[in-house]
Amino acid sequence: MDIKVNYNAIVQQLPADVQLVAVSKTHPVQAVQEVYDLGQKVFGENKVQELMEKYPLLPKDIQWHLIGHLQTNKVKYIASFIDTIQSVDSEKLLSEINKESGKHNRKIKVLLQVKIAEEDSKFGLDIPEARILFEKYLKGEFPNVEITGLMGMATFTDNEQQIRREFLTLKTLFDEFCQSKTLETLSMGMSDDFPVAIECGTNSIRVGSAIFGRRDYSK
Ligand SMILES: *Cc1c(COP(=O)(O)O)cnc(C)c1O
């Protein structure tokens, strides 16, 4: 597995307006540094503990995105440095981020994570819940955060039609929200499905194993 070859192959496939979030979870800081040295500045982690271990050891201009389920009691550990929290799946979590963000005089960027998978029961807001939360935000309820977009995960399946349907559901909601306020980021697409996500209008993909290789959870 050659990280440089993998990374360059993905970057070359990407349309200019699609952002790459390199998902470094389970991989050592040396691997993150290697990808950073190739020019990558945006990295994603899914666990607070792991992010806090890596953060001090890596360059300070990395933009860290949290992409995994976040417990409200852990927001305080990352509030001073996290660039974007992509996995906002409840009002309680958004309120907590708003509170911690204010303590640090920051405006943390967040994405609302929407449940689009028809089969997998993953974390996320259902569409009506996402609408309600976005309305409250537009009315000024969470002044210390900036909702910059939506994130979603398709069902883990070989059925490309289904994946496409799920991505298009999120794209439609994104366009609906953009009528009230222009949002920057539609985060959908991972190693196995990002080409479909690009066809469906994503502008930010989260790619781990296609860059870093398979994750070994036994370590
Ligand atoms: C792990 C993870 C990814 C990356 O998955 P790969 O299949 O390794 O590209 C993307 N998004 C989320 C939310 C993840 O947890």
Side-chain angles (χ1 to χ4, degrees):
M1 210 60 179
D2 185 328
I3 287 181
K4 183 174 177 184
V5 171
N6 294 343
Y7 177 74
N8 288 336
I10 288 175
V11 169
Q12 274 161 24
Q13 285 176 60
L14 284 191
D17 58 347
V18 177
Q19 177 194 48
L20 171 63
V21 178
V23 177
S24 49
K25 64 189 188 197
T26 75
H27 297 286
V29 288
Q30 292 81 354
V32 182
Q33 183 71 50
E34 191 178 340
V35 175
Y36 174 89
D37 291 339
L38 296 170
Q40 180 68 23
K41 292 279 151 39
V42 187
F43 289 86
E45 287 283 338
N46 71 334
K47 293 206 167 77
V48 167
Q49 180 66 35
E50 189 176 345
L51 175 56
M52 283 169 60
E53 284 166 21
K54 286 175 175 169
Y55 171 71
L57 305 173
L58 285 156
K60 286 294 159 302
D61 64 341
I62 288 181
Q63 294 164 36
W64 289 105
H65 286 213
L66 194 85
I67 61 171
H69 178 65
L70 176 59
Q71 289 171 290
T72 49
N73 62 357
K74 293 193 174 160
V75 175
K76 57 179 178 287
Y77 300 121
I78 58 171
S80 67
F81 70 89
I82 197 78
D83 179 80
T84 302
I85 297 173
Q86 294 209 2
S87 42
V88 172
D89 56 7
S90 71
E91 179 165 351
K92 187 166 157 246
L93 178 58
L94 189 59
S95 297
E96 182 66 16
I97 297 169
N98 183 63
K99 190 179 99 198
E100 289 296 326
S101 203
K103 282 189 195 164
H104 293 274
N105 276 312
R106 306 186 56 209
K107 231 176 162 140
I108 295 177
K109 292 184 268 183
V110 305
L111 306 183
L112 300 181
Q113 180 176 351
V114 181
K115 210 182 294 170
I116 51 169
E118 292 163 6
E119 285 168 25
D120 303 0
S121 62
K122 283 180 177 141
F123 290 111
L125 301 155
D126 58 33
I127 288 175
E129 286 172 335
R131 282 197 184 108
I132 291 169
L133 212 46
F134 191 56
E135 281 297 318
K136 290 186 177 179
Y137 166 73
L138 291 177
K139 286 188 186 133
E141 267 199 41
F142 308 99
N144 306 321
V145 299
E146 187 180 356
I147 296 183
T148 56
L150 302 179
M151 186 269 258
M153 259 186 283
T155 302
F156 185 69
T157 172
D158 289 336
N159 183 343
E160 195 183 306
Q161 286 315 313
Q162 182 178 351
I163 293 171
R164 192 175 297 274
R165 199 161 59 232
E166 294 172 358
F167 282 154
L168 288 175
T169 299
L170 193 60
K171 169 73 165 112
T172 302
L173 188 67
F174 182 74
D175 291 343
E176 178 192 310
F177 282 18
C178 283
Q179 306 216 311
S180 309
K181 178 183 188 290
T182 307
L183 299 174
E184 275 164 37
T185 306
L186 176 58
S187 172
M188 57 184 198
M190 311 180 13
S191 291
D192 289 334
D193 58 19
F194 77 82
V196 181
I198 289 171
E199 287 170 21
C200 295
T202 188
N203 63 24
S204 186
I205 62 173
R206 310 175 307 271
V207 176
S209 39
I211 297 172
F212 293 98
R214 285 184 51 203
R215 287 178 288 276
D216 181 359
Y217 285 106
S218 65
K219 280 189 287 195

